[in-house]
Amino acid sequence: MTKIGLLEVKGVLTLYENFGHLPTDIVKSDGTLENGKKAHEELDGLIIPGGTILESESMTPEVAEEINLINDDGGFIFGVCAGFQILSKQTNVGRNSPVPIIREGLGLLDVTFEPKINTNRINADIVDDTTLFTKGLKDQKVKGFHCHTYGEIESNDKNVMYSNIQRSNYKYKPERVLSGVSNKKGNILGTTVHALLDNNPAVVNNILEYVDAVDEYDDIQRRNKILHDKVFNEICIETNNIAPLQSKHPEVPPMIMLMGTGSESGKTFLASGIVGALRERGIHTYVIKVGPDIRDLSPSLYVNKEKLEDWGSIQISNIGWTPLEEVIEQVKGKGYDLILVEGVMSAATGLLNKKTPYSTAEIAHAGNIPVIMVSSVSKGGIETAAIDIQAHIDLLNKMDVTTKGVILNKTYDAEIVEHVTEYISSKSGLDKENIWSIGKAKFENKGQVPEDYLQLETFTQAAIDVVNKHLDVMKFVELAQIPNFRGYLSYEEICELYKK
C-alpha cells in the first residue's frame, strides 16, 4: 500500500493546498508517523508544505534525518515555498533587517534564497523534463500562485521551472523568474508555485507512476480525505485543541470587515485571533483579504488548517484575485458560519484613484458589509487615534457604510481609554460595549507583519489569547450581516462624497 507523507511541524500551513489529494500520512516533529514507525521505513515520498519552518526553527534533527533517508532510499520529496527553502542551502529571512538573517536548510538542493515578495497567480514554463515530476512536460505551461517573501533564487542545480510574474515587491514589474529546481537525480523538486499539484494533474500522474500507484489513486484519495478531516479539526499545530465545529452552517454566511485607520493597525493579528477564538466556540470563520497581499491570510489559515481559496483575495482595480461580486457567490454553501474580511492599509487609501474600486471603503460599500474599525494608538496616542477613528466613521457614513464597532489597539492607559470611549460613543452613536481596548501583546516574536521575521505559532497563539481576554468575540457573529452586492460608486460620486 502506497504511503505519502505530509510534514506537520509548528509553522507549517498543512492544508494550505490539497497537494493533489496525495498525502495519506502525517509526519510529526519526531520523524514518525501516527503508527510510531519512522517515516523512511513507511513512506514512498514526502511533501513539505509552506509556512514559517525556517523562522520557527521547527525542523528537528529527527525530521531532517528522515528526509535524508527518504532521499537515500529513492523516495520522492516535494517541497513548496518554505518546504523548498528547507531543501535548499540557506535563506536570508532578514528582509527588514540591516544585516542578513541566515537560516540554513538541509542542502539537498544547491539553492539560496533572498527576499523578493510576490503574491500573484501565475503561469510557469517547464524547461526540463528529466525529473520524475516533469517527465514528458517540457515546454508545457503549468499554473498556480506565488505567496512568498523570499523569492529571489540563486541555483547551481537543475533548473526546471520559470514563472511569469507581473508584480514583485509591491511594484508592477513583469519578469520571468526561476520557480522550480530539482536535484541531479530528479527525485527532489523544490518550487515556489503553490497549487502545482492541485492545478496540474499531469504532475500528479507522474508522481503516481513513479511510486507505481496509478491504480491506487482512488484509495489514496479516500485515505487523504480521512487525513484531511482529522488534521482540520485541530486548532493550530501540536496544541491538541480540537474545535467543536457545528454541523449546520448558513447557506449564505454573513460578513463583517476589519477596517484599519492605517497600515500596521493590527488587522492581521486580530483576524487570526478572532478566527481561533471563534473556532474554539464552534464557529467556522474564513478570512478574506482586500487586495493582493495574500500573505496576510497565512496566520488565519494556520489557525484554521484551511486552504487558500481563489476567493481569498478581493480584487481592487487590476490587482488581487477575484471580484467582490464573485466572492459573495463563491462562499455560499461552503460550510462557513462567518466571513471576516480584512481590509488593506487604511479605509481611504486609494479612494480618490480614478480606478474603481481601489480602496477598502469602496469594497465595504459595494458589498454592504458592516465594519469594525481598528486603530493602533502607538504612533499618535490614544487621543489622536480616537479622533482619527471618528473621522473615518464620518467618511463611511457619507458612503453609506455602517460601522458596528471599534477596536483601540495597543492601548496603555485605562483612564484615557475611558475618556475616548465616551467621545467615540457620543460622536458615532456606537454602544460602548462595542468599543474595545486591547493592550500591547507580549510574545516572543521577531515580527508582526508578514515581511518581518514571523513565527506563525507564537504570533497566532498570542492573537488568540489577546482576543479571548479583551474582546467579546461572539459579538462579531452578532454584528455581521448577509452581504448583497450593490455595485461600485463612480469616481465622480466618490469625489463628491469625500468633499462633503
Side-chain angles (χ1 to χ4, degrees), residues 97-296:
S97 170
V99 296
I101 301 174
I102 302 299
R103 289 289 173 263
E104 303 291 336
L106 300 179
L108 293 175
L109 296 175
D110 191 357
V111 169
T112 61
F113 288 85
E114 291 287 332
K116 185 172 190 173
I117 296 169
N118 186 259
T119 57
N120 294 160
R121 286 189 285 196
I122 56 89
N123 287 312
D125 302 312
I126 294 178
V127 298
D128 187 302
D129 63 358
T130 62
T131 80
L132 75 90
F133 307 91
T134 59
K135 179 183 174 183
L137 298 178
K138 188 175 181 180
D139 299 327
Q140 298 292 309
K141 287 189 181 295
V142 289
K143 62 180 181 178
F145 67 91
H146 284 188
C147 181
H148 55 247
T149 304
Y150 315 110
E152 189 71 54
I153 303 170
E154 291 291 333
S155 168
N156 294 310
D157 237 320
K158 185 185 294 187
N159 300 338
V160 301
M161 198 182 308
Y162 287 82
S163 291
N164 303 294
I165 66 173
Q166 298 299 310
R167 296 173 62 87
S168 63
N169 293 334
Y170 305 113
K171 296 179 181 179
Y172 180 71
K173 186 184 177 183
E175 58 183 317
R176 190 169 184 256
V177 296
L178 180 61
S179 59
V181 178
S182 174
N183 61 340
K184 299 298 187 291
K185 191 164 60 172
N187 67 310
I188 298 176
L189 178 66
T191 182
T192 53
V193 180
H194 290 278
L196 177 66
L197 303 184
D198 292 342
N199 293 334
N200 304 283
V203 182
V204 172
N205 194 64
N206 278 341
I207 293 172
L208 292 170
E209 286 186 353
Y210 182 77
V211 296
D212 194 24
V214 173
D215 294 338
E216 287 185 56
Y217 193 31
D218 287 344
D219 183 61
I220 288 172
Q221 291 181 83
R222 178 189 62 79
R223 288 183 281 141
N224 175 262
K225 177 66 166 59
I226 295 170
L227 180 72
H228 175 280
D229 292 348
K230 182 174 182 179
V231 170
F232 175 73
N233 286 326
E234 183 187 33
I235 300 172
C236 299
I237 291 175
E238 295 182 0
T239 62
N240 294 317
N241 189 3
I242 305 302
L245 294 175
Q246 302 172 1
S247 58
K248 293 184 178 180
H249 312 278
E251 173 65 21
V252 183
M255 288 188 176
I256 195 162
M257 178 183 287
L258 289 180
M259 183 182 285
T261 58
S263 294
E264 299 184 31
S265 58
K267 299 184 297 293
T268 298
F269 180 77
L270 290 170
S272 60
I274 291 165
V275 164
L278 286 175
R279 197 170 176 80
E280 289 176 341
R281 292 159 175 80
I283 307 297
H284 185 191
T285 307
Y286 196 89
V287 180
I288 292 175
K289 177 70 179 179
V290 177
D293 202 349
I294 52 174
R295 295 175 307 151
D296 285 351

Side-chain angles (χ1 to χ4, degrees), residues 212-470:
D212 194 24
V214 173
D215 294 338
E216 287 185 56
Y217 193 31
D218 287 344
D219 183 61
I220 288 172
Q221 291 181 83
R222 178 189 62 79
R223 288 183 281 141
N224 175 262
K225 177 66 166 59
I226 295 170
L227 180 72
H228 175 280
D229 292 348
K230 182 174 182 179
V231 170
F232 175 73
N233 286 326
E234 183 187 33
I235 300 172
C236 299
I237 291 175
E238 295 182 0
T239 62
N240 294 317
N241 189 3
I242 305 302
L245 294 175
Q246 302 172 1
S247 58
K248 293 184 178 180
H249 312 278
E251 173 65 21
V252 183
M255 288 188 176
I256 195 162
M257 178 183 287
L258 289 180
M259 183 182 285
T261 58
S263 294
E264 299 184 31
S265 58
K267 299 184 297 293
T268 298
F269 180 77
L270 290 170
S272 60
I274 291 165
V275 164
L278 286 175
R279 197 170 176 80
E280 289 176 341
R281 292 159 175 80
I283 307 297
H284 185 191
T285 307
Y286 196 89
V287 180
I288 292 175
K289 177 70 179 179
V290 177
D293 202 349
I294 52 174
R295 295 175 307 151
D296 285 351
L297 299 173
S298 294
S300 297
L301 295 172
Y302 180 77
V303 172
N304 248 5
K305 299 282 194 66
E306 202 127 34
K307 181 185 176 186
L308 177 58
E309 302 284 3
D310 286 346
W311 58 81
S313 163
I314 298 175
Q315 185 176 358
I316 50 175
S317 182
N318 61 342
I319 57 176
W321 287 9
T322 305
L324 175 62
E325 55 269 41
E326 293 181 26
V327 171
I328 292 172
E329 290 301 313
Q330 288 293 326
V331 298
K332 293 179 180 178
K334 297 296 193 301
Y336 305 130
D337 300 308
L338 176 70
I339 300 295
L340 182 63
V341 181
E342 180 184 334
V344 57
M345 301 184 76
S346 93
T349 303
L351 183 62
L352 298 182
N353 193 302
K354 287 187 176 181
K355 298 175 182 178
T356 58
Y358 209 74
S359 69
T360 298
E362 290 168 83
I363 294 298
H365 166 83
N368 199 19
I369 303 169
V371 166
I372 303 292
M373 184 62 64
V374 181
S375 182
S376 171
V377 309
S378 58
K379 292 183 179 179
I382 303 172
E383 303 90 341
T384 303
I387 295 170
D388 198 8
I389 286 168
Q390 187 55 48
H392 277 79
I393 292 174
D394 290 341
L395 173 64
L396 294 176
N397 285 340
K398 289 189 287 186
M399 295 179 66
D400 192 25
V401 176
T402 303
T403 304
K404 292 287 188 78
V406 166
I407 299 175
L408 294 160
N409 195 18
K410 301 181 183 178
T411 57
Y412 48 82
D413 188 300
E415 188 173 343
I416 297 176
V417 168
E418 188 174 339
H419 286 304
V420 302
T421 298
E422 290 276 1
Y423 166 79
I424 294 171
S425 179
S426 64
K427 290 287 186 180
S428 67
L430 286 173
D431 193 314
K432 291 180 187 177
E433 292 184 355
N434 296 341
I435 302 173
W436 295 281
S437 168
I438 293 177
K440 292 183 180 180
K442 295 180 181 180
F443 60 100
E444 294 182 6
N445 190 66
K446 299 295 191 297
Q448 295 192 41
V449 291
E451 56 262 50
D452 286 342
Y453 186 74
L454 181 68
Q455 297 169 321
L456 281 173
E457 70 282 0
T458 53
F459 183 90
T460 54
Q461 189 56 60
I464 294 169
D465 291 344
V466 163
V467 167
N468 276 326
K469 181 178 179 180
H470 295 285

